[in-house]
């Protein structure tokens, strides 16, 4: 399981299935490139990016401050804030599973000059287990879920694959 899969679960289950089944359409998407630029220019990634091996997955945190035990996730817009919050909650749970206690999160929106604090509760931990179970069911199904047909689909890297 990765943070991207958690985020896609909330955003679009079809995108989750396509991405996880190695149909990666994001390398040429302008919105993805802009988000990466914002993230890269907010923190010096080479100094602050953390890679965590978790079973078969490589989990990448934008920035982790070990002094304050704070995970920072950089996002360009707060339009999908619930998605971002659950992604950070997942990252907190991964660090806790590695024995790091007292971790919190912060979503940074540099363009908006806003920050959102994120904590992981016992309820969230149970909810994450259910989410991970549902993600596994989705990605192991033989075909992708139906197109969701939302306004944000037009900006999605997978738009052509879903609608053409």
């Amino acid at each position: 399981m990765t943070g991207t899969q958690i985020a896609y679960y909330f955003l679009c289950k079809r995108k989750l299935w396509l991405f996880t089944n190695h149909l990666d359409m994001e390398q040429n998407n302008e919105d993805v490139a802009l988000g990466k630029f914002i993230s890269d220019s907010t923190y010096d990634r080479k100094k602050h990016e953390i890679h965590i091996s978790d079973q078969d997955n490589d989990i990448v945190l934008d920035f982790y401050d070990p002094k304050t035990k704070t995970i920072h996730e950089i996002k360009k817009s707060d339009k999908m804030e619930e998605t971002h919050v659950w992604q950070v909650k997942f990252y907190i749970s991964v660090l806790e599973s590695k024995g790091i206690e007292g971790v919190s999160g912060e979503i940074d929106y540099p363009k908006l000059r806003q920050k959102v604090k994120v904590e992981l509760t016992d309820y969230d931990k149970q909810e994450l287990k259910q989410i991970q179970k549902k993600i596994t069911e989705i990605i192991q199904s033989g075909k992708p879920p139906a197109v969701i047909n939302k306004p944000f689909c037009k900006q999605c890297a997978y738009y052509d694959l879903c609608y053409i």
Side-chain angles (χ1 to χ4, degrees):
M1 200 68 45
T2 68
T4 301
Q5 289 172 313
I6 297 290
Y8 287 175
Y9 172 79
F10 284 94
L11 182 64
C12 174
K13 289 163 182 63
R14 182 178 178 90
K15 184 174 184 173
L16 164 67
W17 189 93
L18 293 167
F19 172 80
T20 304
N21 285 282
H22 308 292
L23 294 165
D24 189 3
M25 305 290 288
E26 297 188 334
Q27 64 272 13
N28 297 320
N29 184 276
E30 289 180 20
D31 283 334
V32 173
L34 177 59
K36 184 166 174 32
F37 173 77
I38 290 169
S39 183
D40 288 348
S41 60
T42 302
Y43 295 111
D44 183 357
R45 286 186 84 92
K46 289 183 175 113
K47 285 184 182 176
H48 299 289
E49 189 176 78
I50 302 291
H51 291 260
I52 302 168
S53 291
D54 191 47
Q55 295 172 346
D56 296 329
N57 298 308
D58 187 30
I59 296 168
V60 181
L61 305 179
D62 287 347
F63 173 58
Y64 175 69
D65 183 345
K67 290 179 184 172
T68 62
K69 294 185 178 182
T70 305
I71 296 168
H72 293 266
E73 186 68 17
I74 296 38
K75 300 294 183 184
K76 69 177 184 152
S77 166
D78 63 354
K79 289 181 184 174
M80 306 290 179
E81 190 171 305
E82 179 186 26
T83 298
H84 306 154
V85 167
W86 279 101
Q87 185 176 9
V88 173
K89 287 180 180 193
F90 171 73
Y91 292 148
I92 294 169
S93 75
V94 169
L95 289 182
E96 285 184 355
S97 75
K98 301 286 184 190
I100 304 171
E101 295 297 323
V103 177
S104 65
E106 187 172 283
I107 303 167
D108 299 321
Y109 299 105
K111 283 177 63 178
L112 304 174
R113 295 188 177 141
Q114 294 177 351
K115 295 176 188 243
V116 174
K117 299 279 187 198
V118 179
E119 301 290 331
L120 182 68
T121 66
D122 288 338
Y123 173 80
D124 296 334
K125 292 175 188 179
Q126 294 305 313
E127 196 67 22
L128 269 173
K129 287 179 185 176
Q130 293 303 313
I131 290 166
Q132 288 174 303
K133 189 183 294 184
K134 290 175 186 173
I135 288 172
T136 300
E137 290 170 5
I138 290 167
I139 62 180
Q140 289 179 348
S141 69
K143 62 181 185 174
V147 173
I148 60 172
N149 213 9
K150 297 286 183 181
F152 57 79
C153 291
K154 291 178 181 148
Q155 285 79 42
C156 179
Y158 292 87
Y159 180 82
D160 290 348
L161 195 59
C162 293
Y163 292 95
I164 295 178

